[in-house]
Amino acid sequence: MRLRLFAVLALVVLSGCALPGSQSGFDTDRDLGGVGDYSSDDTFAFDTADGLTESQLEAVKYRSMARIEVVRGLKYERDVSLEVVSRAAYRDQWAGGSGNASAFENEVWRGAFVVDGETDVERAFDDLYGDSIQGYYVDDRIVIVTEDADDIRIDRRTLVHELTHALQDQHFGIGRESETIDGVRAENGLLEGEAGYVPERYDRRCGAEWQCLPDTQPPPASGAGLTERPFNVGLFLSIYAPYAEGPSFVADLHERGGWDAVDRAHDEPPRSTAQLLHPERYPDTRPVDVTVADRSSDDWHPITDRADATDDGNGTAGAGGEPRTETVGEATLFATLWANGAIDRPLTAGTPDRAQYNYSHPATEGWAGDTIRVYRHADEPTRTGHVWRLEWDSPADAAEFADAYRRLLEIRGAEPVDSAAGVFRIPDGDPFAGAYRVSTTGTTVDIVGAPTVGDLGAIHAATPGSTSPPEPAAALESGATAASTATANPSVAPTVAVPTSTAVADPETGRQSPRSPVDG
């Protein structure tokens, strides 16, 4: 059973003291803004600049809870424990505990040009979270990550953010319905958006009305600053979309219908990041259902949702079950195009109110739906490929994305093998080496990725009617090859949650990690 965890993912890095908390129920008949012995208008005589003692930290926690009640108009039903740990302890806790990602997961993120074929997806997530997480919430427990837990200093917005997740959990629950990358990002956009919007309204009262802790968070890193970070920028931008764009989405709900509108959204969360990035599309414009017909040869089989004892848990067609699919969505499409240089504009250009980055771009904003299937060679299971179908609002939107995707291939060093057929090959030695076929038919873009040019038709035979006709036999027999898309280890491993703000424990190992179930 997965634990639902919510984390603050920061652009900068922000041993341990623990406040157990009773998790006892609070008096629901009490006045709003009074938690335990503390009130929203309390002032403290101690100097927070010198750090906090455990008793002072407890007082700050309860006063913050009281103030969140005033801002949000909801009461806490029970207590929440608060713990402070060092970043080093946090890294040690999670380092190496996640195992390897599955062949399916590695191929999805590789096919999206986010995590290369030489890097296991779980390792990329571990590197990202170890350097960037500031805190998380799980099961009535908040953990704040600091550089030195013996010197207790807590950023106001981080604390209020995590306490807002606790309030969400107590009133609405924080379980998510979606199991796709895009769906989880969308639902997290509501949860993270509210947890970003509440601190903003909290901050308005600081100074003239409330005595507050200092807000020590620096401004978000610029696009140039992100590229200098040690972690995977494309992966970060995919995960960070709910934090960057969520507050604008929730602010739009609040401006339209007050907190009642936000409450209703918890019953009907956004279903795509397209709704998150474009609030006017919520709740009516839902993603279209995209299907991929199996046109593979006998040598290639789709990875399914059922594991076989002889398959190390990855599942093949022979093991039964339905072909496993994934939906990447608009936000992650933007992330991959930007991180690979196919979108050349500052991340902050045209940023909406309250948003930290602008994830909207003509190459991706016409997204209507997508699905990706992963295929494995029957005799060589380390060889994988994929079929990715994307639907767009109009033929012009489809063409715009296809052009941007071809630009990405060129930036990655792809060489045209058959321009008429839309076939490209990234040479051996590149971490994304392989063959790619890009075709459009009306509002549909089809992308096939394979280890070699000859494998493209075997994984997904081309069909007439697209702007890219089937590969000529000469191209298929040319002997042009590329590095295999094999993963370091194709065995199944934990898929965990974020950070989410939302993360979960792996269903096989029980390991908890600040990551969403589909992030790994």
Side-chain angles (χ1 to χ4, degrees):
M1 180 176 182
R2 293 173 182 249
L3 297 176
R4 298 296 180 182
L5 175 155
F6 282 74
V8 173
L9 188 64
L11 297 179
V12 296
V13 291
L14 279 173
S15 60
C17 145
L19 297 176
S22 65
Q23 279 73 54
S24 60
F26 289 134
D27 180 7
T28 56
D29 292 331
R30 62 189 168 82
D31 292 336
L32 197 71
V35 178
D37 296 328
Y38 296 90
S39 174
S40 61
D41 57 3
D42 282 347
T43 59
F44 298 145
F46 51 81
D47 184 3
T48 60
D50 296 329
L52 299 172
T53 65
E54 292 186 22
S55 61
Q56 291 168 347
L57 182 59
E58 182 180 68
V60 166
K61 180 192 76 170
Y62 285 126
R63 186 180 69 175
S64 298
M65 293 172 74
R67 291 175 174 181
I68 292 169
E69 288 191 346
V70 172
V71 170
R72 186 57 177 86
L74 295 173
K75 297 176 185 177
Y76 283 92
E77 298 173 349
R78 57 187 182 272
D79 202 354
V80 180
S81 67
L82 179 60
E83 179 182 353
V84 180
V85 301
S86 70
R87 185 161 301 281
Y90 172 79
R91 288 196 189 100
D92 290 343
Q93 182 180 5
W94 302 121
S98 58
N100 295 316
S102 70
F104 179 90
E105 293 154 345
N106 278 325
E107 181 65 25
V108 164
W109 286 104
R110 180 191 183 282
F113 280 88
V114 176
V115 180
D116 64 56
E118 299 175 357
T119 304
D120 185 87
V121 168
E122 284 295 334
R123 302 289 75 71
F125 276 117
D126 287 344
D127 291 343
L128 173 60
Y129 289 113
D131 289 332
S132 61
I133 198 166
Q134 287 183 298
Y136 60 88
Y137 165 82
V138 60
D139 286 353
D140 292 332
R141 174 173 170 255
I142 290 172
V143 177
I144 303 295
V145 182
T146 68
E147 292 308 308
D148 182 1
D150 292 327
D151 182 16
I152 305 173
R153 300 172 188 273
I154 292 190
D155 175 79
R156 179 176 74 244
R157 290 183 69 87
T158 300
L159 179 60
V160 174
H161 184 113
E162 296 305 337
L163 285 171
T164 300
H165 282 319
L167 190 66
Q168 291 170 334
D169 193 15
Q170 293 180 19
H171 282 270
F172 310 108
I174 54 178
R176 294 154 305 172
E177 299 175 11
S178 179
E179 295 181 351
T180 69
I181 292 170
D182 190 54
V184 169
R185 297 286 184 276
E187 292 186 54
N188 287 348
L190 171 63
L191 297 164
E192 296 304 335
E194 183 180 1
Y197 185 57
V198 167
E200 176 191 318
R201 298 183 68 84
Y202 184 114
D203 288 354
R204 296 177 188 177
R205 298 173 181 249
C206 290
E209 184 177 350
W210 289 343
Q211 174 204 52
C212 294
L213 286 174
D215 179 9
T216 59
Q217 284 192 21
S222 65
L226 269 185
T227 59
E228 297 170 359
R229 300 286 177 182
F231 48 67
N232 183 310
V233 174
L235 195 61
F236 174 85
L237 287 176
S238 171
I239 294 169
Y240 201 66
Y243 302 84
E245 296 272 10
S248 294
F249 175 81
V250 172
D252 183 81
L253 289 177
H254 187 259
E255 289 163 5
R256 283 196 260 170
W259 289 117
D260 287 344
V262 180
D263 292 348
R264 289 192 296 272
H266 281 281
D267 292 327
E268 188 180 0
R271 300 304 180 186
S272 70
T273 53
Q275 289 185 327
L276 185 66
L277 307 185
H278 314 286
E280 70 278 6
R281 301 182 188 180
Y282 174 82
D284 297 327
T285 307
R286 290 173 171 257
V288 301
D289 185 22
V290 181
T291 59
V292 174
D294 182 17
R295 296 205 295 269
S296 62
S297 72
D298 291 340
D299 291 334
W300 290 87
H301 303 301
I303 292 178
T304 69
D305 56 8
R306 287 181 59 187
D308 181 67
T310 63
D311 189 47
D312 294 326
N314 286 300
T316 66
E322 293 297 319
R324 187 176 174 185
T325 62
E326 183 58 271
T327 298
V328 173
E330 182 180 347
T332 298
L333 285 176
F334 173 87
T336 192
L337 292 178
W338 191 92
N340 283 281
I343 291 178
D344 185 17
R345 69 145 170 81
L347 281 172
T348 54
T351 303
D353 290 343
R354 297 180 178 85
Q356 295 180 0
Y357 299 136
N358 179 12
Y359 282 71
S360 296
H361 189 273
T364 53
E365 64 187 3
W367 179 93
D370 75 78
T371 192
I372 186 169
R373 276 191 185 187
V374 174
Y375 284 78
R376 167 182 285 159
H377 195 277
D379 298 324
E380 301 175 75
T382 58
R383 300 181 69 209
T384 56
H386 62 274
V387 181
W388 191 6
R389 171 163 288 186
L390 304 101
E391 288 293 335
W392 299 87
D393 290 335
S394 71
D397 291 324
E400 182 106 38
F401 171 76
D403 287 344
Y405 186 85
R406 294 186 190 101
R407 203 156 53 242
L408 181 156
L409 291 175
E410 292 170 3
I411 292 169
R412 299 298 319 184
E415 303 164 347
V417 173
D418 187 335
S419 297
V423 177
F424 301 83
R425 183 175 67 89
I426 297 179
D428 294 358
D430 187 279
F432 288 99
Y436 301 85
R437 186 178 71 216
V438 186
S439 61
T440 60
T441 306
T443 59
T444 303
V445 176
D446 284 323
I447 299 170
V448 181
T452 70
V453 172
D455 291 324
L456 289 171
I459 290 175
H460 195 71
T463 56
S466 70
T467 57
S468 301
E471 304 94 331
L476 293 177
E477 300 300 328
S478 65
T481 60
S484 168
T485 59
T487 61
N489 187 332
S491 63
V492 171
T495 201
V496 262
V498 112
T500 6
S501 100
T502 303
V504 300
D506 175 77
E508 279 91 28
T509 66
R511 173 181 180 267
Q512 299 173 34
S513 165
R515 193 172 323 157
S516 88
V518 293
D519 283 333

